[in-house]
Every structure is written in C-alpha cells, then in structure tokens.
Amino acid sequence: MRTVRSKLLLACSTLVFSVVSLQASGQTLNRVNQEITDYSPVTKERLVEADPSDWLLPKGNYEGWMYSELDQINRENVQQLRPVWTYSTGVDSGHQAPAQVNDGVMFITTPYNHVIALDAKTGQLYWRYEHDNPSDLGVMHNTARGVALWEDKVFAAGLDGTLNALDARTGERLCQNVIGDWSIGAYITSAPMPIEGKIMVGPSGGEFGVRGFLEATDADTCETVWRTYSVPGPGEAGHETWLKEGQRPDAWKYGGGSMWMPGNYDPETGVLYWGVGNGSPWLGDQRPGDNLYVASALAMDPEDGAIVGHHQYHWNDSWDWAAMNAPMLLDLEHNGGTVKGLMTPQRNGYMFWMERKPDGEIKFLEGKPYVYNNVFTELDPETGRPSYDPNHTPVTGKRVGYCPSLWGGKNWPYEAFNPQTGLMYVPANENLCNSFIGIWQDDIDPASGQFWAGIDIPDLDVYVKDPNKGVGQLQAWDVNTREMVWQHDFGKTMNWGPVLTTAGGLVFGAGTNDRKLRAFDAESGEIVWEFPLNSTAIAPPVSYSVDGKQYIAVTAGYGVDAQWTNGVLAAKDETKEWISDVPEGGVVWVFALPNS
C-alpha cells in the first residue's frame, strides 16, 4: 500500500503539494543547552487575560484577533525599528508557526516537528526537541503551526498523527496521545488549543478520504477525553445530508471535513468555535447533498465535544474551499444595536458577518465578496445559503474553471482585528483562478493513504484572470459599516502572510515574494516601514515585551503551497515580473527600537 501511495504522493509533489519523506532516526532527540529554571505556568486565567507582554496562543487571544495592546512601537517611531537578534532553525521548507512567548521564553515549531525554546530577549537556546517521525513517513505538507501552552507543559503535534506533551523546562517528552493514523493520511499540522485542562487538535487528510474530527486530550494523562467527527454518522443530526441517491455507498465514512486549523473560544459562554475543511472527493456530484458539516463553522461544547450550532458557508463543497479557519469573535453593530458577533473572510472569497448566541446558535447576518467569485449567483438574505452557477461548479468528466482558485481568496493565513480602528485586516489573493477535469477513482480505496481527491493532478491549471494585474493584496474592512476602507496591492506575487495589528496604530505583514516584512499605518494603509528578510515569511508576526521593551518577531522560511503556486504563476508570466527565485531556510527575526 505504501509503495502505491508513495508514487501518487511524489506525482503530486511536483505539481501541487509539498510532499516530504522524513528521514528520521526513529528516536526522539532532545538537546538541552540550558534548563529553564524559572518558568511561569500557563493557567486558564492567564490565557483568558491575554497579557500583551506574552503571546501564549497562536492568534494572541482566545477570540482570534491577532492584536497586541503594546504601543511602544508606533506609527511615529516605527521607522527606527531594527533587528536585535536572529536565530537560524537549521531547517528548510515552509515555516508557518508564530513565536509563542511566555514570560520571556519563546517557543518555535518548525517543519519536521522540531520545537525550539529560546530566550525571547537574547535569542539564546534553552532546548531543542526533534520528534521521532517514522523514517518512511510521507505527508502532503511537512509544516507545523504552533504549540499549546498549559501549566508547565508544551504540547506539540506530530506529522505522524501524535500529540506530545513536553516538559516546558527541558523539552523532555512526558507522554503522548496517538490522534490520527498517518498511514491513511491523517497527519497533523495544526497548533493544538488548550482549554480547561484539555488540549484540542484535529488532523488533516481530506485529500485521502479521511473523515475529519476534533479530539480532546487530557493535559495530565495524554488520554483521549472525547472525539467529535465533522461528518455525522448514522443517528446523528446532519447525517441525512449525505444520504442521497446516486452517490458512492457510505460516502460519509470518507467525506473529508478535516479540522486542521486551531479554533477560537468564548470563555464567557464556554462555547468553542472551529472550522471544517473541504469535502472528499472534491467533486460534489459524487456525494450529492448539503454534506454537513463540510465547509462550515461549528460551535461546540469543549466539555464533551457536542456540536451545539453551525453555519455552512457553502453546501456540497466542490471547489476545495476548505473553511478551516474559525470565525473571529468580536462585537458587531446590527440593526441599531450591538450583538456578540462572528466575522470571517472565507476561502470561497466571501466575507461573513454572523451573530453568536449564548447557547451556541450561529445566526447569519450578511455576506459579500472581498475578491472576485464567479460561482455564487446570490446568497439567501436570511440564511446565507448560496446559489451556484453550474458553469463554474466542478463535476465528474468535464473541465470546469472557477474563481477564486482552490487556494481561495484567502487561505489559512490569519486575518487581524484592531479594536481601536474597528478594522479587520485581510491577507487576500485576487485575480487567481483554476480549472480541472473531475474523475471517478475506482482503482483507489478511500482512507487508504492514497490520493483520492477526484482529480488528475497534472491536469490542474492555475491561472490569473487578468494577466496584466497582480494577485496579492492586504485589505482593511470596517467591521460595522461592512465596507472595505483601504487596499494595498503587492503586484505579481501571492500574499501568503498572516497579519498582526497593534495598539501602536500598525499592521505588520510579510508573505510576498520580495521577502519584505512591512508595517502599514492601520488607518490609512500607507507603508511606514519595511525590511528585507532572508526568505519569504509565511508565519504569523507577533509582539511581546520583556523588561518593559516591546519586540516584533516573525519566522521566515519559504516552502509548501506558497512556493508551488508562486512558481507556477511565475512560469506563466510572460512579463517576467513575477519573482520566483526565493531562498529557503528558517530564521527567527526579532525587531525592537534602539535603546534610548
């Protein structure tokens, strides 16, 4: 089975995905340069408080804002910002994890599942953990997107489908839970999420026909507390949306819906919000029906994993428009009042405004495109349910093109919200489309570790709608007027950079092929500072402080989908304006103002 799977994965790697066989020793390597003797345990109270001197969660707070209250670095002095230390990870490929900081200790995760603990003030190494991935492991994306900090442990997921509890002081592995079976495609790239002594994480695997799920692990014992599947089984609400004539038998068993990015959480109501990925195979005509809860936001009870509410952004997903990012939690003006809201720019190219009820119900308020979408003809004003143009809806046996591409108007990189400006900042990609011919795969068993998306990878055509225009953008949207306030165009490069916004009136972002980290004026969109990095940074920038000094940190390291998509578009660009020669290599960059 693995021989067949390896051939398919290698074919995919040259065209779409970053598929990596990890040659490991089979043993965990833990190197301690200096034990951390004064470590501050991470508690529920500290996670809820989100002290701006720390960056404890991948997105900074439970609400998912990517916002720092620190203002020592601001629009008046940001021109003086300079690097104060760097640290080379010694690892290639796509670095996509934020620097997470707890009381002056920084934790970095890298491709191939290294975890590095550094002094956040000086960059000196405390310890390094290298995960014992199997030597024959092959995955589509070899990246990692952060850790979960809880009490005196660091929880790191592995590409081999494991969740590992490390001693925060030494990096020693204390216990492990096997979440997914990598041999069938259930590998993990997500940052785990800590809530009330439980660590939540879900695997990837939709392209292999793996049925998506989220699993909660006891932080003390590494034992499973609950597992909730995103595709409901017999007797569960929503199962009827998979029972249609003409579909594959038992399509729900391998229907996709991976929950492969961290969620958001409302501590006041105790409701957890998580995003659900694409359907499997990609062709919706092979699994007729709405296909809950594919391409949806789920509201869940973190105590037992029960689904208490949902909103499906588009039914019968046929475009690989995964809804993997949970909506951001924020207050919204609506009908003359203020509601507890949810807001999200989705991969399908639409911005959604919703209301979150205390019991978990999600109520649609409005949706509008933030990039060009030629699939949706309208959204139902009451429910948000879209109607489709059949000419741009993929089906089996026919070439169909659509916009935005399967990578979406925005992929996984985080948007940011600044409560001072009332603006949400979106790393967008406009003008990008694709086409393919859907195929029926009878010669491959789903959930067997073989590629099972329903397309012939060499047939996938990615292109720009208007060759004279660029793709990457940074957009700023007023969360209350629901209008775009400003937009910056990066030209002929995709934007794969998550963004950070601060109380200093700034927005930081990278992710473009010119390798620059930029600071924008949060109100006007004017570039007020920029700095060339060693490589393109596709990891989230963060801010923290040590001894009263504010720092900005980002990890550069090109690879995975950003590298492939930009390379394909550069090869097609007759003007030769598209930058494709971007060096690899992971480096942590930390910036600060000069000492006064």
Side-chain angles (χ1 to χ4, degrees), residues 1-12 19 183 208 441 443-445 448-452:
M1 179 272 291
R2 287 184 182 171
T3 300
V4 174
R5 178 171 177 268
S6 296
K7 290 180 180 178
L8 286 165
L9 287 175
L10 288 172
C12 295
V19 185
S183 71
F208 297 106
Q441 294 175 289
D443 57 336
I444 297 174
D445 294 326
S448 65
Q450 301 178 77
F451 188 71
W452 194 75

Side-chain angles (χ1 to χ4, degrees), residues 393-437:
T393 301
V395 292
T396 305
K398 180 182 178 181
R399 175 171 291 281
V400 175
Y402 59 89
C403 313
S405 75
L406 64 88
W407 285 274
K410 187 190 75 67
N411 205 273
W412 76 267
Y414 304 135
E415 63 275 14
F417 170 65
N418 191 317
Q420 293 184 337
T421 64
L423 301 180
M424 176 179 285
Y425 306 95
V426 182
N429 288 298
E430 176 65 286
N431 193 36
L432 190 60
C433 312
N434 64 233
S435 71
F436 54 78
I437 299 175

Side-chain angles (χ1 to χ4, degrees), residues 51-389:
D51 187 323
S53 62
D54 299 314
W55 196 271
L56 299 177
L57 292 159
K59 290 173 271 188
N61 61 12
Y62 271 139
E63 292 79 9
W65 285 5
M66 285 298 296
Y67 170 71
S68 171
E69 294 179 0
L70 299 177
D71 60 3
Q72 186 180 96
I73 301 168
N74 53 59
R75 59 169 65 94
E76 282 74 34
N77 61 22
V78 68
Q79 296 85 358
Q80 303 174 49
L81 201 62
R82 61 180 178 83
V84 292
W85 62 262
T86 62
Y87 184 89
S88 176
T89 66
V91 178
D92 64 2
S93 195
H95 289 61
Q96 296 182 322
Q100 292 174 244
V101 179
N102 174 27
D103 194 18
V105 179
M106 177 185 291
F107 299 98
I108 296 287
T109 54
T110 78
Y112 317 105
N113 301 137
H114 296 202
V115 183
I116 304 169
L118 303 168
D119 185 315
K121 183 176 180 179
T122 67
Q124 292 301 305
L125 177 69
Y126 285 120
W127 53 257
R128 185 186 193 103
Y129 168 88
E130 297 182 17
H131 186 59
D132 50 341
N133 283 305
S135 60
D136 59 344
L137 173 63
V139 297
M140 280 193 166
H141 301 89
N142 65 331
T143 193
R145 298 189 178 93
V147 296
L149 304 178
W150 181 258
E151 296 294 346
D152 56 357
K153 297 185 182 72
V154 178
F155 289 85
L159 294 170
D160 60 350
T162 61
L163 179 64
N164 303 274
L166 312 179
D167 186 319
R169 294 174 176 83
T170 65
E172 177 189 2
R173 188 165 69 195
L174 303 174
C175 58
Q176 180 187 83
N177 190 15
V178 178
I179 305 292
D181 180 357
W182 72 265
S183 71
I184 67 169
Y187 64 100
I188 305 177
T189 64
S190 176
M193 187 172 184
I195 297 177
E196 302 275 4
K198 291 183 284 294
I199 312 299
M200 286 78 166
V201 73
S204 300
E207 280 66 46
F208 297 106
V210 175
R211 181 185 177 203
F213 63 88
L214 182 66
E215 185 158 324
T217 297
D218 185 286
D220 291 328
T221 65
C222 287
E223 296 179 352
T224 298
V225 180
W226 53 257
R227 172 182 288 190
T228 297
Y229 285 93
S230 61
V231 175
E236 297 178 324
H239 181 64
E240 70 282 357
T241 65
W242 291 82
L243 300 178
K244 301 291 182 181
E245 293 183 3
Q247 71 176 12
R248 293 174 180 270
D250 295 329
W252 63 274
K253 291 182 179 179
Y254 36 82
S258 302
M259 302 174 75
W260 56 272
M261 288 296 293
N264 297 323
Y265 177 58
D266 186 343
E268 183 177 341
T269 61
V271 177
L272 174 66
Y273 296 88
W274 217 278
V276 182
N278 56 277
S280 182
W282 289 353
L283 290 306
D285 65 338
Q286 297 185 22
R287 41 175 174 78
D290 281 8
N291 298 157
L292 291 175
Y293 294 97
V294 164
S296 300
L298 295 185
M300 307 175 70
D301 184 338
E303 286 300 310
D304 58 9
I307 297 172
V308 295
H310 79 279
H311 176 79
Q312 189 172 48
Y313 302 108
H314 54 274
W315 49 276
N316 189 232
D317 174 52
S318 300
W319 304 269
D320 187 28
W321 284 339
M324 63 284 172
N325 279 354
M328 189 182 289
L329 282 60
L330 69 172
D331 292 343
L332 298 172
E333 293 179 6
H334 183 67
N335 289 339
T338 301
V339 300
K340 297 292 184 181
L342 299 168
M343 186 172 168
T344 174
Q346 278 297 308
R347 193 155 154 175
N348 60 29
Y350 268 63
M351 185 81 74
F352 290 85
W353 289 261
M354 299 171 287
E355 181 179 0
R356 66 184 197 275
K357 302 288 189 178
D359 62 356
E361 178 189 355
I362 300 175
K363 179 183 179 182
F364 171 79
L365 299 178
E366 187 175 355
K368 60 172 59 177
Y370 64 94
V371 300
Y372 175 71
N373 176 309
N374 64 4
V375 175
F376 294 178
T377 58
E378 64 177 353
L379 296 185
D380 184 287
E382 296 297 322
T383 66
R385 181 183 176 89
S387 299
Y388 302 146
D389 182 342

